Amino acid sequence: MTSDTNRSLWRTTAADPVPSTRFDADAEADLAVIGGGFTGCAAALDAARRGAAVSVFEADTVGHGGSGRNVGLVNAGLWLPPDEIIAHAGETDGMRLMTALAEGPSKVFDIIEREGIECEATRAGTLHLAHAPSGLDDLRERFRQGNRLGAPIQLLDAAETARRTGSSRFHGALWDPRAGTIQPLAYCRGLARAAIAAGAHIHENTPVTRISRDSDTWVIEAAGHRLRARHLLLATNAYHREVKGAAAPGFVPVCFSQFATAPLPEKLRETILPGGEGCWDTALVMSSFRMDKAGRMIVGGIGDATGPASPIHAAWARRKLREVYPELADQPFEHSWSGRIAMTSDHIPKIVSFGPNALAAFGYSGRGIAPGTVFGTAAAKALLTDDPSHLPLPVISGHAERFTSIRQAYYETGAALTHLTKPLPFT
């Protein structure tokens, strides 16, 4: 996918880059991490705070992948409703996963407060918006299932949804007070800076070329040097690059694009998402809405805004904004960017053991912030204590996805056709 980081709002508004160090000599560590996103940086921070020697290898810069292109919704749980999670994972493992992820937003916001991370953290909840009557039926069922498990979610009627969003286009919403929004790249960089302050070494622009075993130690080769580490975490997710000696994570790449306006006039900001909630809708080809600290409206949707269908996705974003918020019809988009999601067939993340004391965590299926933080923190603890019970899911020996290229094309083509041909479903 063509790089569009220069057009990213998050790149424009994030704090200074991470003070990484060059990997210019052979070294040793307790934990080696490959990937500098939410998962890898959360793992590095937790391990370093435990007194472990940690080295993180990032092929580009911290947050270059999905962590720096994220919508920024800090949600509890997964995209799937509870009953489907249990159907796929089983009662025991499903409840274990849901319990861990229900606490995900609290873990994220606690880290932000503890480490003093400046990332526009706003804990005002999120709104899952009913785009059509069928969407409201879906929300009613999600409310029933979540309420049964004790989730503090609330089902809102159309009038309350209109008051909270500033739009009359939705049929209701599910509000989750546990959730919120952040500037995702700033959060990821903040995790990295906190890890460095705790003693971790982070090496940007240092792709790992090979991993191997030497007795009971992992040998990581990068930049012409070697790191010997007893424990290894692969945290590349949707931006995995080939590493000799390591099996690639199994997922289907799905693109999601975002378009951000200029800061809105104060009068409009008083009525559009005045409470600061982040939003996404119930449509099959999902859309998202949120505001940043400066009052920019950010519209997102499935599809690659840097690929061949980019004009279609851009025209859809303009049309979507006009339909949901007619008063914003003339507001220009100043930023647009795309990111990849690592989608698994069952939409449940995976933790794979690919060797002794080595784990790979991936496949958040569009829920990267809280799950990435939870999985990274848990993986560091599980590896360093040699106790997999700390993990939110059982470890598996491998995971593969079939026909990934065909399915990737299917998602992109479907999004493009939907954005091109279908009317906006506000009826």
Side-chain angles (χ1 to χ4, degrees):
M1 185 172 68
T2 304
S3 174
D4 60 343
T5 54
N6 290 334
R7 301 169 63 194
S8 167
L9 172 63
W10 306 140
R11 289 270 174 175
T12 301
T13 61
D16 293 337
V18 173
S20 66
T21 56
R22 292 180 60 193
F23 185 58
D24 55 8
D26 291 353
E28 296 183 355
D30 298 309
L31 173 65
V33 179
I34 303 175
F38 298 134
T39 303
C41 290
L45 174 58
D46 185 81
R49 285 176 61 88
R50 293 175 183 278
V54 187
S55 290
V56 178
F57 295 91
E58 166 54 49
D60 203 285
T61 57
V62 166
H64 168 78
S67 298
R69 304 162 191 256
N70 194 282
V71 176
L73 303 184
V74 187
N75 281 308
L78 297 175
W79 176 66
L80 295 176
D83 286 358
E84 289 190 36
I85 294 175
I86 291 173
H88 286 296
E91 182 77 26
T92 299
D93 292 339
M95 289 301 300
R96 173 179 169 184
L97 176 62
M98 287 189 289
T99 299
L101 295 185
E103 300 172 356
S106 290
K107 289 186 179 297
V108 170
F109 289 111
D110 286 349
I111 290 173
I112 290 170
E113 182 177 3
R114 184 189 73 203
E115 304 296 341
I117 299 174
E118 296 292 334
C119 61
E120 302 183 15
T122 303
R123 197 169 189 182
T126 53
L127 294 168
H128 193 178
L129 304 170
H131 76 293
S134 59
L136 184 58
D137 291 339
D138 176 53
L139 294 185
R140 290 191 182 105
E141 180 59 22
R142 288 174 181 266
F143 172 72
R144 184 190 68 78
Q145 293 179 28
N147 185 260
R148 187 185 73 236
L149 297 176
I153 52 179
Q154 296 181 27
L155 187 64
L156 310 180
D157 62 17
E160 178 62 12
T161 301
R163 186 189 72 79
R164 295 200 186 201
T165 61
S167 173
S168 60
R169 298 296 186 178
F170 301 102
H171 296 255
L174 199 61
W175 178 58
D176 190 339
R178 299 168 294 183
T181 61
I182 58 173
Q183 208 279 31
L185 180 57
Y187 171 61
C188 192
R189 288 180 175 178
L191 288 174
R193 278 192 289 268
I196 292 170
H201 297 281
I202 294 184
H203 308 294
E204 293 184 314
N205 300 302
T206 310
V208 172
T209 55
R210 180 189 294 271
I211 65 171
S212 59
R213 290 284 291 174
D214 181 10
S215 185
D216 62 348
T217 302
W218 287 100
V219 180
I220 294 90
E221 299 180 30
H225 299 283
R226 294 183 173 189
L227 177 83
R228 298 176 64 87
R230 180 168 175 77
H231 305 94
L232 175 60
L233 175 63
L234 184 65
T236 51
N237 205 35
Y239 284 76
H240 181 77
R241 299 188 185 188
E242 181 181 359
V243 178
K244 292 181 180 179
F251 60 85
V252 177
V254 177
C255 287
F256 194 90
S257 296
Q258 296 179 78
F259 304 82
T261 70
L264 302 180
E266 190 63 36
K267 186 175 182 180
L268 291 176
R269 293 172 62 181
E270 292 175 355
T271 58
I272 296 176
L273 293 174
E277 300 95 339
C279 308
W280 78 103
D281 66 21
T282 54
L284 180 62
V285 180
M286 186 194 78
S287 307
S288 62
F289 304 91
R290 61 159 296 187
M291 301 274 279
D292 76 344
K293 185 177 181 180
R296 300 177 181 88
M297 169 56 70
I298 308 165
V299 180
I302 298 291
D304 183 2
T306 65
S310 58
I312 294 173
H313 298 312
W316 164 85
R318 169 54 55 196
R319 193 168 71 252
K320 186 81 168 181
L321 184 64
R322 182 174 62 246
E323 290 292 329
V324 177
Y325 295 108
E327 62 270 45
L328 303 186
D330 297 326
Q331 292 294 321
F333 286 128
E334 292 192 340
H335 301 271
S336 64
W337 67 101
S338 292
R340 289 198 297 270
I341 295 168
M343 191 79 73
T344 61
S345 295
D346 58 9
H347 307 301
I348 293 178
K350 310 301 174 189
I351 303 175
V352 173
S353 173
F354 59 94
N357 302 315
L359 298 174
F362 60 92
Y364 304 123
S365 296
R367 288 289 180 96
I369 298 175
T373 301
V374 169
F375 274 60
T377 301
K381 187 175 183 181
L383 285 167
L384 293 174
T385 62
D386 194 27
D387 184 357
S389 69
H390 295 300
L391 296 169
L393 275 174
V395 174
I396 56 178
S397 59
H399 177 74
E401 294 281 342
R402 301 179 64 190
F403 310 116
T404 56
S405 296
I406 294 174
R407 290 161 63 194
Q408 180 182 10
Y410 169 81
Y411 281 118
E412 175 59 26
T413 302
L417 289 175
T418 299
H419 288 170
L420 178 65
T421 63
K422 288 189 177 181
L424 298 177
F426 298 123
T427 57

